[in-house]
């Protein structure tokens, strides 16, 4: 078994075609077919079903791909590290929508100012999609709003966030403390789409309290939901990072939940991934960003609640 076998297998799997893989690798098609046959004989497994003009991976192929794609990636990372000293190259980062909207841009700007020779590529999507891209080695690092579901993914918390309840400015719950989810659910509910990290957390909270909610409105756009709440169409529970400005501007008001809904934002990477020095630097920047945000929040809290003994 050689690295060449794995590279060819990965290309065939990703292209779902021996012909396309041969073209991508600049190899003769019979050579690619022979390599796949050698792999199947070596492992005693059938990797691809040939139906018509297409091929489909078997369960064994899907399992093997999870290893092969990272072995190939590890080799390529080693080549780059040893030849270039990690002074050039690309970092591929994925981020969930909340993080991609508010946190990733300043992080990328800071990194690129310090390391202009390193190219950064970013993908912003739902947390589940970011984890899948990481498992398929389409990205190197991910920033997501929940815990990863795969045992192959490692997670490092870098920041805490909360989901907050928002209501129209003239709503009876506006500014009220000790509000329950059941009180919120008595109103038309505007919610993020299924599959988003915030929706999954909120649904879990409703399930824990045995509350059934049929959304009056579902949207992948947080701003659409905020505008809907502002116009009196209902209430919502959304990430604080996404509605902070709207709350400060008075577009909507907060209803303070009896049980705050808090969560950790995570840096994720594949356990088999070789982490280059530049990736380590980016991870450190994320951790420093989280520490800085905590200090800012603590300072804001002191400014809002000054020590009465210090007053003259």
């Amino acid at each position: 078994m050689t690295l060449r076998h794995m590279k060819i297998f990965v290309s065939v799997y990703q292209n779902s075609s021996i012909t396309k893989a041969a073209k991508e690798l600049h190899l003769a098609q019979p050579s690619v077919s022979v390599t796949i046959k050698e792999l199947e004989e070596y492992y005693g497994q059938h990797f691809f079903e040939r139906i018509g003009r297409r091929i489909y991976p078997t369960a064994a192929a899907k399992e093997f791909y999870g290893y092969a794609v990272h072995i190939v990636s590890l080799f390529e990372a080693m080549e780059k590290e040893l030849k270039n000293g990690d002074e050039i190259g690309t970092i591929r980062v994925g981020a969930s929508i909340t993080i991609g909207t508010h946190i990733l841009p300043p992080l990328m700007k800071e990194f690129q100012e310090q390391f202009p020779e390193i190219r950064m590529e970013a993908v912003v999507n739902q947390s589940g999609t970011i984890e899948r891209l990481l498992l398929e080695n389409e990205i190197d690092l991910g920033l997501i709003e929940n815990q990863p579901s795969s045992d192959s993914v490692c997670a490092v918390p870098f920041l805490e966030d909360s989901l907050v309840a928002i209501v129209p400015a003239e709503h009876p719950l506006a500014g009220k403390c000790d509000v329950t989810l059941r009180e919120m659910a008595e109103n038309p509910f505007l919610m993020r789409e299924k599959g988003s990290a915030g929706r999954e957390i909120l649904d879990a909270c409703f399930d824990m309290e045995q509350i059934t909610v049929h959304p009056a409105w579902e949207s992948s756009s947080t701003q659409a939901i905020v505008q809907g709440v502002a116009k009196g169409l209902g209430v919502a529970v959304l990430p604080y990072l996404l509605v902070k400005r709207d709350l400060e501007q008075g577009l909507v008001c907060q209803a303070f939940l009896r049980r705050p809904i808090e969560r950790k934002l995570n840096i994720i990477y594949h356990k088999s991934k070789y982490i280059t020095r530049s990736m380590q630097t980016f991870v450190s920047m994320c951790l420093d960003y989280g520490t800085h945000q905590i200090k800012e929040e603590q300072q804001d809290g002191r400014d809002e609640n000054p020590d009465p003994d210090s007053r003259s």
Side-chain angles (χ1 to χ4, degrees), residues 252-271:
V252 293
C253 289
Q254 185 172 350
F256 297 90
L257 295 173
R258 177 181 298 175
R259 296 181 180 177
I261 304 174
E262 298 178 342
R263 61 183 182 171
K264 294 184 184 295
L265 309 185
N266 293 295
I267 308 162
I268 60 171
Y269 59 93
H270 197 284
K271 67 179 183 182

Side-chain angles (χ1 to χ4, degrees), residues 70 198 295 299:
H70 286 285
K295 289 181 179 178
Q299 183 60 50

